[in-house]
Amino acid sequence: METDVLIVGAELDGLVAAIRLLELGRSVTLIGAGQGSLNYNSAGLHVLGCIRDQDHSKNLMLPGELDYLPERHPYRLIGWPHIKAAIDWFIELGGRLGYPFCQPSVDFLELTAIGSSRPIYSPARFQAQWPSVTGIAATIEFSGYIDSLANIVSQGLLKDGVRSEVVVIDHFVGESKNSIGLARAFDNQTDAENVFEKIKSSLSEETEVVLFPAILGFQNHIATVELAESIIGLQCREIPTLPPSIP
């Protein structure tokens, strides 16, 4: 087999390189081992972010702030016009593939897998951002789900003054109790309505946002989150998960 480019590794960098090379007319062979973790994140666009010292907080997504980086830093060498062109291409690609991103902004803070905040340039449509709520942020834990971080997320929110509670759902929808099994189950099963109805009945009246682990399906992910919102009647957002455990 002949190929112009052989890419080893099927995480985001390898996948993006493959897509771009194909667009430029090259033939590509991509080699990856295992499932990887890309499907179990909430897919926001992380680039540059912020750096802080004792006196300043610099948002490096502002063009002039690149000068704050060391002279040989890769982003300084690439330059802002090329960085911006790459970001615009990636966001447009997400739209074409059915994974729309929010309008880029320097003001977004994502909710991480440990319940802390982190700057993000362009979150995905249903990605959990740092909650600005006066009510309760409910973190969903599926009973028996071995990769769950619900309690860690809830504790992180409480530590920073956000009212939070863990809602445990006994109705487990997958044969395998790791991220892969649960995501596949949400793609294949016809019982999602009952799962979301049970979640709705378990929520406090003060709940304002419902936080799911980012395992609501591979192929039908957006439709599943939309279904959750229509049944529960509240914003439903996803938080990152760890790479899946071995069954």
Side-chain angles (χ1 to χ4, degrees):
M1 180 180 68
E2 294 186 358
T3 185
D4 293 330
V5 181
L6 174 65
I7 297 176
V8 179
E11 293 289 348
L12 182 60
D13 49 359
L15 294 172
V16 169
I19 293 171
R20 195 71 178 113
L21 285 164
L22 289 170
E23 289 183 348
L24 295 173
R26 303 293 192 270
S27 62
V28 179
T29 299
L30 184 69
I31 300 175
Q35 293 282 344
S37 61
L38 193 60
N39 287 318
Y40 313 101
N41 207 305
S42 40
L45 179 56
H46 298 87
V47 59
L48 298 178
C50 291
I51 55 177
R52 295 180 174 86
D53 58 26
Q54 292 181 349
D55 303 314
H56 301 89
S57 176
K58 299 289 186 180
N59 192 310
L60 297 176
M61 291 314 301
L62 300 174
E65 301 298 350
L66 287 181
D67 295 339
Y68 199 75
L69 294 170
E71 183 177 350
R72 300 296 297 174
H73 190 284
Y75 292 128
R76 288 276 307 264
L77 298 176
I78 294 171
W80 175 253
H82 294 293
I83 294 172
K84 184 65 167 61
I87 291 171
D88 290 343
W89 171 82
F90 188 81
I91 290 175
E92 189 273 334
L93 173 68
R96 280 192 278 133
L97 296 177
Y99 291 93
F101 291 89
C102 297
Q103 184 66 29
S105 170
V106 299
D107 298 322
F108 288 125
L109 289 175
E110 72 163 345
L111 180 62
T112 72
I114 59 173
S116 61
S117 63
R118 180 172 63 172
I120 185 171
Y121 185 56
S122 181
R125 178 180 174 187
F126 291 113
Q127 182 173 5
Q129 298 176 49
W130 186 252
S132 55
V133 297
T134 57
I136 293 174
T139 306
I140 303 302
E141 176 174 355
F142 292 99
S143 179
Y145 171 43
I146 59 179
D147 295 318
S148 176
L149 296 173
N151 284 291
I152 295 175
V153 171
S154 183
Q155 290 170 16
L157 291 170
L158 290 168
K159 181 179 178 181
D160 283 325
V162 178
R163 298 198 310 171
S164 177
E165 65 179 9
V166 176
V167 176
V168 179
I169 301 301
D170 292 329
H171 189 135
F172 189 78
V173 291
E175 293 182 3
S176 173
K177 295 187 177 182
N178 65 9
S179 296
I180 296 173
L182 192 54
R184 286 175 176 167
F186 270 111
D187 269 344
N188 299 327
Q189 57 120 9
T190 58
D191 199 27
E193 292 89 346
N194 289 334
V195 174
F196 297 139
E197 287 286 0
K198 188 165 187 177
I199 290 172
K200 179 179 180 180
S201 66
S202 302
L203 297 176
S204 164
E205 292 183 358
E206 296 182 77
T207 301
E208 290 190 21
V209 62
V210 181
L211 303 174
F212 287 90
I215 42 72
L216 296 181
F218 295 128
Q219 303 300 322
N220 302 316
H221 154 259
I222 290 180
T224 301
V225 183
E226 289 176 339
L227 177 64
E229 288 194 329
S230 68
I231 291 175
I232 297 173
L234 297 169
Q235 282 192 357
C236 294
R237 296 294 181 262
E238 292 183 304
I239 53 178
T241 69
L242 296 173
S245 297
I246 298 173

